[in-house]
Amino acid sequence: MATATPHHSATANGDPKLLIQQPPPPLPNFLASIKLKHVKLGYHYLITHLLTLSLLPIAAVAAVHVVQLNLDDIETLWRRLQDNSVAVTAVGSAVVLAIAAYLMARPRTVYLVDYSCYRPPEDLKAPFATFLERSENHGGFNPSALEFQRKILERSGLGEETYLPAALHCIPPAPSMAAARKEAEDVIFGALESLFKSTKLNPKDIGILVVNCSLFNPTPSLSSMIVNKYKLRGNVKTGMGCSAGVIAVDLAKDMLQVHRNTYAVVVSTENITQNWYYGNRKSMLIPNCLFRCGGSAVLLSNRPADRRRAKYKLLHVVRTHYGSDDTAFNCVRQEQDDTGKTGVTLSKDLMAIAGGALKANITTLGPLVLPISEQLLFFASLVTRKLTGTKTKPYIPDFKLAFDHFCIHAGGRAVIDELERSLQLSGEHVEPSRMTLYRFGNTSSSSIWYELAYTEAKGRVTKGNRVWQIAFGSGFKCNSAVWEAVRAVKPSESNPWGDCIHKFPVEIKA
């Protein structure tokens, strides 16, 4: 473990991530390429509309011939069709059957009807002074560990209004199984109540339930807790998401392809009551400074009738897993320190592993979302490098041509900074992630939903906009979800930014 100044952490689905190296290895420069902006935009427009432009001459010639037809020509054409009625009927039947087969075989569209992010009560706010006071009164931290946490807070990108669960507000903290379950109930039921209220959904209409939470898995399970609370029907399909909110969405999407005309609810949260680290190993103290209380509930549907009230439709989910690599597998690991206290150790290799996972993920995602112009440029660059044997940098596609909004997991300031630089994103592109980290802290797998809620609260989502949600997790994983707005999206009544969005964005100290 390097002993340099800690650089911040990034987490996903309860998997905190630490950057402790000097200097931190940067993510790849994904967009170190063409600067002829206007030429590129012109080329992009030409290639995007190439099919339309090529069909124009054909359409013009056909139109001229149709205009020149007289009544005798039309009558002659009709007689020829009558003389070949068997062939016409056979061709027509084949076309109808082909269309029917296509409609039956194509994947069902998955709509995001609405979602809700939990906002804890005001008495659970944990400004820096309160956080440090609780740490000092615990008595388990030595002066070096306390000073380390203070410095991390100052550089973390978090604000003074994040939340900690009730058990960690006690002096001394009082973590227990009962307190952890109480935190889970407050967060999960709070998010679900808001979701049911905004969508007017009867819980008994839910056919699929997915819950993801990695660090707290009680018996009975969290999904069983929801079934019991809302008395869901006996044949509800339930399951535990394993890595992050994106994986939970993917699982729900797959199940919606099998079960017709049903609703799926995805609940994403993390529980920190029993996962607070009370030791002095600095590599395990970062999660204490960044993790905060939060959660989300998302309503998905494959019912065609829900398109009219849905906010988004799901276009793609891409999951990349680096678990076969030992270094990647061990870069985020829950274990005990030398004194027997449990925490999460974060490796100095974390940033490099995250960069590799991200490259693999966007390499898979690119062909699905990028305009053909960008794909042709990338392919031409690749072929040129192969034929000439040069080691010039390959052309890296511009993902800003594919997406209008970016929801980068708010695990830590460092990862947001690196993705902003590497993908050459604007300040507005990463604003939702920065402000979510500032206002709510790292809420694990639910952070991408707080970010989308921020974008909606700002009134930035219009019909046809594409949203890219990017999440990281231990193991090591990088997951992406792509949504398209089916209408101009207005924030829900339960939007967690509703009464404070006018205060944002705020300036964050360097």
Side-chain angles (χ1 to χ4, degrees):
M1 183 68 68
T3 58
T5 303
H7 189 66
H8 306 302
S9 70
T11 68
N13 190 40
D15 305 327
K17 302 168 179 55
L18 174 66
L19 315 176
I20 301 184
Q21 39 195 329
Q22 184 178 358
L27 288 177
N29 188 357
F30 295 113
L31 293 175
S33 188
I34 296 176
K35 296 181 179 179
L36 299 177
K37 178 179 178 181
H38 298 292
V39 174
K40 180 178 176 180
L41 290 177
Y43 168 79
H44 165 65
Y45 181 86
L46 174 65
I47 295 299
T48 301
H49 298 87
L50 183 62
L51 179 60
T52 302
L53 294 174
S54 63
L55 290 177
L56 283 177
I58 299 175
V61 172
V64 170
H65 281 286
V66 170
V67 171
Q68 293 177 344
L69 289 176
N70 54 37
L71 292 177
D72 292 337
D73 295 329
I74 296 174
E75 185 178 353
T76 300
L77 179 62
W78 175 249
R79 282 200 304 269
R80 289 180 177 176
L81 291 175
Q82 287 180 320
D83 293 340
N84 296 277
S85 58
V86 175
V88 172
T89 301
V91 171
S93 300
V95 171
V96 171
L97 289 174
I99 294 175
Y102 168 76
L103 293 176
M104 294 179 65
R106 68 174 182 173
R108 296 182 178 87
T109 301
V110 175
Y111 296 106
L112 193 162
V113 179
D114 205 352
Y115 64 96
S116 174
C117 298
Y118 174 67
R119 180 165 165 174
E122 298 300 287
D123 61 346
L124 294 185
K125 281 186 178 179
F128 292 177
T130 301
F131 175 93
L132 294 172
E133 179 187 8
R134 301 294 186 268
S135 296
E136 291 174 1
N137 288 326
H138 167 61
F141 300 116
N142 61 34
S144 177
L146 291 171
E147 178 62 16
F148 179 80
Q149 292 180 82
R150 184 187 65 78
K151 290 181 178 179
I152 291 296
L153 282 176
E154 292 175 351
R155 306 170 187 173
S156 65
L158 271 68
E160 298 279 357
E161 298 186 82
T162 61
Y163 305 90
L164 286 174
L168 300 182
H169 281 273
C170 298
I171 301 178
S176 65
M177 176 62 77
R181 186 177 287 275
K182 178 65 165 57
E183 179 194 349
E185 291 175 348
D186 289 344
V187 173
I188 293 174
F189 296 159
L192 285 172
E193 291 291 349
S194 296
L195 180 67
F196 294 154
K197 181 179 179 180
S198 65
T199 60
K200 297 180 174 56
L201 177 71
N202 185 337
K204 291 188 178 297
D205 290 335
I206 298 172
I208 299 168
L209 174 65
V210 180
V211 184
N212 70 272
C213 179
S214 64
L215 289 178
F216 180 64
N217 294 303
T219 301
S221 68
L222 296 178
S223 56
S224 297
M225 183 177 73
I226 295 173
V227 172
N228 177 262
K229 168 70 174 181
Y230 295 103
K231 310 304 178 188
L232 303 188
R233 64 194 198 211
N235 64 343
V236 64
K237 309 297 186 296
T238 68
M240 295 292 290
C242 59
S243 170
V246 172
I247 294 181
V249 167
D250 192 33
L251 174 59
K253 179 202 71 174
D254 290 343
M255 297 185 75
L256 284 171
Q257 300 306 313
V258 177
H259 303 280
R260 295 176 178 270
N261 296 316
T262 191
Y263 289 108
V265 169
V266 175
V267 179
S268 297
T269 187
E270 194 48 80
N271 192 291
I272 58 180
T273 293
Q274 287 188 304
N275 294 288
W276 200 256
Y277 176 61
Y278 293 103
N280 293 296
R281 185 190 292 181
K282 292 181 179 179
S283 62
M284 292 182 172
L285 286 170
I286 301 293
N288 287 10
C289 301
L290 296 184
F291 260 90
R292 293 297 183 265
C293 189
S296 63
V298 181
L299 176 62
L300 303 175
S301 171
N302 60 11
R303 297 156 54 103
D306 282 321
R307 189 187 191 286
R308 292 174 295 178
R309 65 168 182 153
K311 288 185 173 183
Y312 306 91
K313 64 178 178 180
L314 181 62
L315 299 183
H316 308 286
V317 176
V318 173
R319 297 164 55 178
T320 304
H321 204 306
Y322 258 32
S324 60
D325 180 89
D326 290 341
T327 302
F329 178 75
N330 290 300
C331 70
V332 180
R333 189 177 187 87
Q334 187 179 30
E335 59 186 12
Q336 291 180 326
D337 64 12
D338 297 337
T339 65
K341 294 182 173 65
T342 302
V344 177
T345 299
L346 305 163
S347 167
K348 63 181 180 180
D349 301 314
L350 178 61
M351 197 61 180
I353 295 298
L358 178 62
K359 282 197 299 182
N361 189 265
I362 65 176
T363 299
T364 305
L365 181 67
L368 301 175
V369 298
L370 286 167
I372 189 65
S373 58
E374 290 296 292
Q375 296 189 46
L376 287 177
L377 285 173
F378 176 77
F379 180 74
S381 169
L382 183 64
V383 171
T384 301
R385 294 175 74 243
K386 288 291 185 181
L387 293 178
T388 61
T390 60
K391 295 184 178 180
T392 57
K393 292 182 178 179
Y395 176 74
I396 303 301
D398 186 353
F399 279 87
K400 296 191 294 295
L401 293 174
F403 303 111
D404 302 283
H405 309 287
F406 296 78
C407 296
I408 302 167
H409 168 59
R413 185 174 180 175
V415 165
I416 300 174
D417 288 346
E418 288 294 346
L419 264 69
E420 178 184 18
R421 180 194 63 80
S422 302
L423 296 177
Q424 290 190 0
L425 303 178
S426 68
E428 185 172 300
H429 285 140
V430 298
E431 182 184 312
S433 301
R434 291 195 189 283
M435 295 304 102
T436 294
L437 181 63
Y438 180 88
R439 176 63 182 85
F440 293 99
N442 179 356
T443 61
S444 191
S445 55
S446 64
S447 70
I448 54 178
W449 298 106
Y450 286 88
E451 293 161 14
L452 186 55
Y454 179 92
T455 307
E456 291 180 5
K458 283 291 185 180
R460 296 174 180 172
V461 184
T462 59
K463 184 177 180 179
N465 279 182
R466 287 190 173 192
V467 180
W468 183 13
Q469 292 179 320
I470 314 168
F472 296 94
S474 67
F476 186 86
K477 298 173 285 291
C478 177
N479 305 307
S480 293
V482 180
W483 305 89
E484 180 179 307
V486 298
R487 57 184 170 88
V489 179
K490 296 181 179 179
S492 304
E493 293 182 3
S494 60
N495 189 292
W497 302 89
D499 64 345
C500 62
I501 192 63
H502 61 281
K503 301 177 183 178
F504 295 92
V506 299
E507 183 176 355
I508 300 177
K509 293 188 299 182

